[in-house]
Amino acid sequence: NAGVMQNPRHLVRRRGQEARLRCSPMKGHSHVYWYRQLPEEGLKFMVYLQKENIIDESGMPKERFSAEFPKEGPSILRIQQVVRGDSAAYFCASSPRLAGGPDTQYFGPGTRLTVL
Amino acid sequence: GESVGLHLPTLSVQEGDNSIINCAYSNSASDYFIWYKQESGKGPQFIIDIRSNMDKRQGQRVTVLLNKTVKHLSLQIAATQPGDSAVYFCAEKVGETSGSRLTFGEGTQLTVNP
């Protein structure tokens, strides 16, 4: 059973460009979370999605950032008009949400975004 | 100006010793807790979890202790090995079985000396 997959692993963008980060959850998982990590810091929650629905986006900046999880295909985190402060590692996690079971989140390897 | 990064708490142990990593959590409503291990350049890896109705849980070479009175969590690693060197994060969550965010602690850098 493949784990959470993210691509690209490394992404370099110039200021003002768009960044698209992709996440494929573990097989059988229908819930996806995105987190951001700055160097030597813990992960900070951004957004929680189910298929075709955004459940909680309270951690996501109001401007330039958006996320989706379509019925088919991976979840996408999109950052428009990137700025240097967007440089970070972005991690996706998925969970199975089994009835009565704990909502354990399993993480992908991350996408390291560098904005020049 | 020059940016200054945060410095993680560090723990350095000798190979074969036991390690104890501590974490204070913030939300008294949290009812599910997870320890993650993160190696350089990788994503967080699940180690062990504990529900709020428990105060201790054991895994293979690891034990998690939960003290809800003082909102404290600890991870004990027995017979620490060089491969255990990593940053360890505790994470808390409100709603054990419901979908909701994880709130991460600041992390502890564990270094195991051979």
Side-chain angles (χ1 to χ4, degrees), chain B residues 58-71:
Chain B
Q58 288 185 293
Q60 186 177 12
R61 279 203 308 119
V62 294
T63 301
V64 55
L65 299 177
L66 174 63
N67 185 331
K68 295 181 288 296
T69 302
V70 295
K71 292 189 285 189

Side-chain angles (χ1 to χ4, degrees), chain A residues 42-87:
Chain A
L43 282 71
K44 299 290 194 297
F45 169 80
M46 298 181 74
V47 62
Y48 163 39
L49 310 102
Q50 297 175 22
K51 286 283 188 181
E52 300 184 279
N53 284 306
I54 297 174
I55 306 303
D56 179 2
E57 57 181 347
S58 60
M60 198 138 76
K62 295 290 186 287
E63 298 179 351
R64 302 188 298 108
F65 285 72
S66 62
E68 63 177 10
F69 190 15
K71 185 176 180 181
E72 301 291 337
S75 174
I76 306 282
L77 178 67
R78 182 184 179 201
I79 311 173
Q80 295 178 289
Q81 299 176 327
V82 296
V83 301
R84 287 197 175 139
D86 296 332
S87 295

Side-chain angles (χ1 to χ4, degrees), chain B residues 21-35:
Chain B
I21 300 171
N22 296 303
C23 175
Y25 65 93
S26 56
N27 190 346
S28 56
S30 294
D31 57 2
Y32 182 53
F33 305 86
I34 307 174
W35 279 99

Side-chain angles (χ1 to χ4, degrees), chain A residues 8-62:
Chain A
R9 294 293 308 278
H10 299 275
L11 182 61
V12 179
R13 285 287 178 266
R14 296 190 180 279
R15 281 178 296 171
Q17 291 184 320
E18 178 180 286
R20 283 190 177 229
L21 289 61
R22 296 174 186 78
C23 170
S24 295
M26 289 178 71
K27 186 177 181 180
H29 290 194
S30 58
H31 299 259
V32 165
Y33 301 79
W34 285 93
Y35 293 82
R36 177 164 63 177
Q37 185 179 35
L38 296 173
E40 296 198 354
E41 292 189 13
L43 282 71
K44 299 290 194 297
F45 169 80
M46 298 181 74
V47 62
Y48 163 39
L49 310 102
Q50 297 175 22
K51 286 283 188 181
E52 300 184 279
N53 284 306
I54 297 174
I55 306 303
D56 179 2
E57 57 181 347
S58 60
M60 198 138 76
K62 295 290 186 287

